[in-house]
Amino acid sequence: MTRLIVWRHGNTDWNAGSRVQGQTDVPLNDLGRRQAVDAAELLVRMRPDAIVSSDLSRAFDTAAALAALTGLTISTDERLRERFFGDWQGLTMAEVAAERPAEHARWTAGEDVIGGEVETLDDLGKRVSEALLEAARLAPPGGTVVVATHGAAARQGVGHLLGWQREHLRTLRALQNCHWVELTHDEARGWQMAAYNVGVLADRPVPPPV
């Protein structure tokens, strides 16, 4: 049985400020780097055979924490990038709601086509699921591949891979930073979700300045 771990990157300052990142290359912050290390200490126990990452630094640097423990080389795939949010990128969600209310309303309703050059959910799901399938082929029989990606990309890519309808995907809560989805595959059952939003239960407290 092949196992695929779809892992969201650690926290960034834009996450903390509710600012739309999309495909803007925003780095991990100190909290995000700690989250990556803590999560890697759990994921290494799964004995991954390969690590694949989005080429955006917040995902790649998250994957690097696991690579440091396993000695594996990280392969990058730009299809694993976050949803392209077009004119929204760099805005806070409050600014989107105030300045682009019609688009924000369509996004809130879970519609596929938003406007403002925002990538459709269908296009997002197709490209990410294709990358996930290709990543899974890196595992030997019964092996494990860890894929570092982004929140919306992970949820939509997994949903497309499983054949879920958009309204079903809306029932899933957003992945927390540095949490993951576990998928398994065998010839009899195909792809199945084994676990969702798994990760370290609580962030370590930030040490006081010295």
Side-chain angles (χ1 to χ4, degrees):
M1 180 180 292
T2 300
R3 180 166 55 182
L4 188 62
I5 304 298
V6 185
W7 186 21
R8 188 188 177 196
H9 62 79
N11 194 262
T12 71
D13 287 345
W14 283 26
N15 287 145
S18 297
R19 194 170 296 279
V20 181
Q21 295 179 116
Q23 295 186 6
T24 308
D25 198 6
V26 182
L28 295 176
N29 56 24
D30 289 343
L31 172 59
R33 286 187 286 273
R34 288 197 305 275
Q35 289 174 329
V37 169
D38 289 346
E41 290 173 353
L42 294 181
L43 290 171
V44 72
R45 302 175 193 174
M46 298 184 180
R47 300 182 182 277
D49 298 286
I51 304 172
V52 184
S53 175
S54 158
D55 61 341
L56 296 179
S57 64
R58 60 189 183 271
F60 187 89
D61 290 346
T62 297
L66 181 59
L69 298 180
T70 61
L72 294 169
T73 300
I74 304 168
S75 301
T76 58
D77 189 333
E78 65 182 32
R79 292 174 297 178
L80 294 168
R81 287 182 178 186
E82 181 58 291
R83 185 179 187 181
F84 180 63
F85 273 94
D87 297 335
W88 294 24
Q89 293 184 177
L91 301 178
T92 65
M93 288 308 300
E95 289 169 339
V96 172
E99 299 172 17
R100 313 180 78 89
E103 294 169 8
H104 185 265
R106 289 192 287 270
W107 175 77
T108 301
E111 294 185 21
D112 187 25
V113 180
I114 301 300
E117 301 299 320
V118 177
E119 183 177 14
T120 68
L121 290 172
D122 188 54
D123 286 346
L124 173 64
K126 285 178 180 176
R127 70 167 167 86
V128 176
S129 64
E130 287 171 359
L132 294 178
L133 285 172
E134 188 168 317
R137 296 188 189 105
L138 298 175
T144 297
V145 176
V146 175
V147 176
T149 183
H150 308 264
R155 184 165 59 173
Q156 205 65 31
V158 165
H160 197 275
L161 187 64
L162 296 172
W164 289 10
Q165 297 298 314
R166 200 161 61 247
E167 53 269 24
H168 297 152
L169 274 174
R170 281 176 56 78
T171 67
L172 292 177
R173 292 185 62 182
L175 276 180
Q176 297 177 60
N177 284 116
C178 251
H179 283 51
W180 60 85
V181 184
E182 180 179 343
L183 302 174
T184 59
H185 181 273
D186 63 39
E187 294 303 323
R189 300 176 182 83
W191 285 102
Q192 293 185 304
M193 183 183 290
Y196 183 81
N197 229 348
V198 182
V200 178
L201 291 179
D203 298 321
R204 296 186 306 196
V206 179
V210 177

